[in-house]
Amino acid sequence: MQADVSVIIAVYNTMPYLTECLDSVVSQTIGPDRMQVIAVDDGSTDGGDKELQRFAELYPGLFTVLTQEHSGGQAQPSNRALSMATGRYIFFLGAGDHLGPEALERLVSAADTYDSDVVLGRTIGVNGRNVSRAVYESTRPEITLDDSPLAWALSNNKLFRRELVERHGLRFPEHMPVWSDQPFTLEACVRARRISVLADYDYYYAVRRDDASDVGSRTSHLTRLRCTAEVMKSAASLIERGTGRDTVLRRHFTWELSKLLDQDFLALERERQDDVCAGVGALAEAYLTPGIVAKLDRTRRVKLLLAQVGLTDELRELIRRERDGVGSAVVVTGDGVYEALPGFGTLPNHHFALTGSAAGLLRVDDVVRDEDGILTGRLPLVGASSVRVAFLPVRKGRSQDEDITGCYKLAEGHVPPFAEPVSAEQHDDHLAIKVHVPYASLTKRRADRAKIFVPRLYVRVANVTYQLPLPQLPGPSTSVVRWRGGKAFRITLGDDALGNLKIFVSRMSRLKAVRRALRRMRRRKHS
């Protein structure tokens, strides 16, 4: 009797995860009579071949085990298994991953019910494995590459109708050591009459191994670049120019190509960096359409455009800043607000535009205090129209955010009426700010109760007012004593749990205040 599903497992050095993988197969509720399992050991050196033979002996008639010399990827063993598959459907299972007990039964039932050529079951990332889950938000009998995030889920851990595979001669490109499943999966999805997605069960568990020994982590930048180019070439040959092709190619610009320009790029030799930059640039020149550019986040977009025009030094600097957590200035001009990433002023300005909020880029750095209660710091802003500061009391029993929003209503383009002015001097890449701590104002209201003040800097940028915290001061907390109406107050500049500045105001006895003042006078005299 023909099996309902042929399970194909390409195995290479995945012990001890292989045992759980095989256990999940033999535990399938669909039963051994409806399954064919073809496992190809691709030259494992960790005992994986022996584990396959053990399962074959424990479950005679269920497993077909093949062995071969190491081929360097999953393509050749997968193709070899495909040539032996006889099931109505084919399912590819990673040798380090495993299935939910009902996975195959549910997948086959859905394929028969919906008359689907491809069925995706919800995939779960294990041990920190990064899995795109957007496509699994809900069960849908029919999806396409255009109306779903399917392009972000092109791995082959899906159920495929074998008739579709054989009719179109679908096979894995064996010259690709990584990502050879993507051209196979993409073409299957393009050719399929119907694609379904199931979100009602945890079908597939994609496991990140503790030693991070997946094939992608072992391959060089240039190999990954070459294979990404093959994947993108395949997509371009299958899908006509337009939004459909852009949907698929945007995934590769966002994921595979962008990962080539991450921090490990800096560890490459300079010549290799130039080669990677040139290769990414060539793919950007060929496939990076305005439609894709518009949907990329700002940093990825600028990296790819720098590679495209050959600005390798600027690209290196951008990646270095990203690695070191160094921010860029916000530049305000007559025509917009921009993040001054490397390449700003060379590439067209609109690629650096801040189309939404600039709050995530604005921060106050290097704040220090002098003896006169003046705070000085740096704000990465060029072209600001005004800067003001306000100190807000935190009410007992309420959160900081509630108090900030509850003390006043911030009108569009304005700062609170009780704000203290801040002097600011514009430099090439920042504003140097100077804030006078208003000691007198801090002792005005409710003089007999301790108070906590949350300093906030208000920055007006292109008709929008942003509210920023001040970072804690370096070193231990510092305090001063101020008198008001014959009463002494201790004003302490400390920090909260988030590392932001807070000001604590409390009453002191007259005697303690006088003694403190005398001690300070003696120290000054002796110094």
Side-chain angles (χ1 to χ4, degrees):
M1 184 176 71
Q2 183 184 25
D4 281 325
V5 57
S6 296
V7 180
I8 292 177
I9 310 173
V11 180
Y12 179 70
N13 286 355
T14 58
M15 291 292 289
Y17 304 95
L18 177 61
T19 301
E20 186 173 9
C21 170
L22 299 178
D23 277 334
S24 75
V25 173
V26 299
S27 301
Q28 289 296 299
T29 57
I30 197 171
D33 294 340
R34 298 175 60 189
M35 285 193 298
Q36 174 195 32
V37 182
I38 308 172
V40 180
D41 178 67
D42 194 43
S44 294
T45 58
D46 64 347
D49 54 340
K50 295 181 177 62
E51 187 71 344
L52 289 174
Q53 291 300 333
R54 184 174 76 86
F55 270 82
E57 292 170 3
L58 286 173
Y59 302 94
L62 177 59
F63 283 87
T64 299
V65 177
L66 307 174
T67 61
Q68 63 181 41
E69 293 184 1
H70 184 48
S71 66
Q74 65 168 313
Q76 191 181 106
S78 297
N79 287 341
R80 187 176 177 189
L82 267 175
S83 67
M84 302 183 65
T86 59
R88 294 192 298 125
Y89 298 100
I90 294 168
F91 189 88
F92 295 95
L93 174 59
D97 304 331
H98 55 273
L99 299 172
E102 301 174 21
L104 295 179
E105 185 176 18
R106 287 170 173 262
L107 289 166
V108 169
S109 175
D112 287 341
T113 300
Y114 300 138
D115 194 26
S116 305
D117 286 335
V118 180
V119 184
L120 294 73
R122 184 168 64 202
T123 299
I124 304 297
V126 178
N127 199 25
R129 176 80 172 268
N130 188 12
V131 172
S132 177
R133 301 185 64 177
V135 74
Y136 305 111
E137 285 186 355
S138 62
T139 294
R140 294 175 58 186
E142 186 167 7
I143 63 172
T144 68
L145 286 162
D146 292 329
D147 67 5
S148 75
L150 177 58
W152 297 87
L154 292 180
S155 59
N156 63 344
N157 57 331
K158 300 168 177 60
L159 189 78
F160 299 91
R161 189 179 295 274
R162 190 168 67 87
E163 187 274 331
L164 170 79
V165 172
E166 296 305 329
R167 174 158 41 96
H168 294 285
L170 303 184
R171 291 295 186 270
F172 292 65
E174 297 186 4
H175 62 285
M176 292 176 59
V178 292
W179 303 320
S180 59
D181 57 334
Q182 290 192 29
F184 177 96
T185 303
L186 179 61
E187 184 166 2
C189 290
V190 170
R191 308 291 188 195
R193 294 169 301 164
R194 175 171 293 173
I195 306 166
S196 302
V197 60
L198 307 179
D200 58 340
Y201 182 73
D202 292 344
Y203 290 83
Y204 193 97
Y205 295 87
V207 180
R208 181 183 182 274
R209 303 171 212 165
D210 290 332
D211 60 357
S213 59
D214 59 287
V215 175
S217 67
R218 299 194 306 266
T219 53
S220 69
H221 279 67
L222 291 180
T223 297
R224 284 182 281 151
L225 175 63
R226 176 174 63 81
C227 292
T228 302
E230 291 290 332
V231 172
M232 297 177 79
K233 180 180 177 181
S234 174
S237 68
L238 287 167
I239 307 171
E240 294 182 359
R241 291 180 183 272
T243 57
R245 182 194 287 187
D246 283 358
T247 298
V248 174
L249 293 180
R250 180 164 66 92
R251 170 250 163 87
H252 303 301
F253 281 112
T254 303
W255 187 245
E256 287 90 355
L257 290 184
S258 290
K259 283 183 69 103
L260 294 175
L261 304 179
D262 277 347
Q263 298 177 18
D264 56 356
F265 174 86
L266 298 175
L268 301 176
E269 295 178 358
R270 182 62 67 94
E271 183 179 355
R272 287 290 171 267
Q273 291 179 356
D274 293 341
D275 291 341
V276 171
C277 181
V280 172
L283 292 174
E285 184 68 25
Y287 302 120
L288 189 59
T289 66
I292 296 175
V293 169
K295 293 185 178 181
L296 294 172
D297 68 73
R298 188 165 49 256
T299 302
R300 281 193 177 97
R301 174 171 66 236
V302 171
K303 283 182 181 180
L304 292 167
L305 292 171
L306 290 175
Q308 184 176 354
V309 298
L311 295 176
T312 312
D313 289 338
E314 287 82 353
L315 176 60
R316 273 189 282 265
E317 177 61 21
L318 177 52
I319 298 172
R320 189 176 294 110
R321 287 193 193 183
E322 196 174 39
R323 180 197 63 189
D324 298 339
V326 178
S328 300
V330 174
V331 177
V332 184
T333 68
D335 62 349
V337 183
Y338 307 97
E339 182 180 7
L341 297 169
F344 180 69
T346 303
L347 296 173
N349 281 1
H350 67 269
H351 293 308
F352 301 83
L354 293 172
T355 55
S357 171
L361 299 174
L362 294 175
R363 67 200 177 279
V364 186
D365 297 322
D366 304 329
V367 176
V368 295
R369 168 189 173 275
D370 66 14
E371 291 186 356
D372 297 322
I374 298 176
L375 304 177
T376 58
R378 295 162 51 97
L379 183 68
L381 184 63
V382 178
S385 58
S386 66
V387 181
R388 302 184 117 185
V389 69
F391 293 90
L392 308 175
V394 173
R395 300 173 186 173
K396 186 177 180 180
R398 298 184 66 185
S399 74
Q400 180 172 305
D401 287 339
E402 286 175 328
D403 280 295
I404 289 170
T405 57
C407 287
Y408 60 88
K409 182 177 181 181
L410 187 62
E412 181 71 25
H414 296 285
V415 296
F418 49 86
E420 296 287 338
V422 175
S423 63
E425 181 181 348
Q426 183 70 70
H427 293 256
D428 289 342
D429 61 350
H430 71 278
L431 278 177
I433 61 171
K434 184 179 293 186
V435 180
H436 292 261
V437 179
Y439 291 129
S441 299
L442 293 172
T443 60
K444 277 184 179 179
R445 293 181 292 246
R446 295 198 170 193
D448 295 327
R449 296 182 60 180
K451 292 173 287 186
I452 302 175
F453 290 85
V454 182
R456 286 293 184 270
L457 192 71
Y458 288 85
V459 186
R460 185 172 172 78
V461 178
N463 298 321
V464 178
T465 300
Y466 296 97
Q467 178 188 149
L468 309 177
L470 295 178
Q472 69 185 71
L473 301 178
S477 299
T478 59
S479 61
V480 299
V481 176
R482 289 293 184 268
W483 293 80
R484 184 179 184 85
K487 299 176 181 179
F489 295 87
R490 183 197 302 272
I491 303 175
T492 303
L493 277 66
D495 61 275
D496 61 13
L498 300 177
N500 296 323
L501 181 64
K502 275 191 178 180
I503 299 178
F504 304 87
V505 181
S506 59
R507 280 285 307 278
M508 288 183 70
S509 71
R510 294 171 61 90
L511 181 58
K512 284 185 177 181
V514 171
R515 287 176 175 173
R516 176 186 170 112
L518 290 173
R519 286 195 300 269
R520 289 174 63 88
M521 289 175 61
R522 291 193 193 102
R523 284 197 297 267
R524 287 181 178 177
K525 182 178 179 180
H526 290 302
S527 62

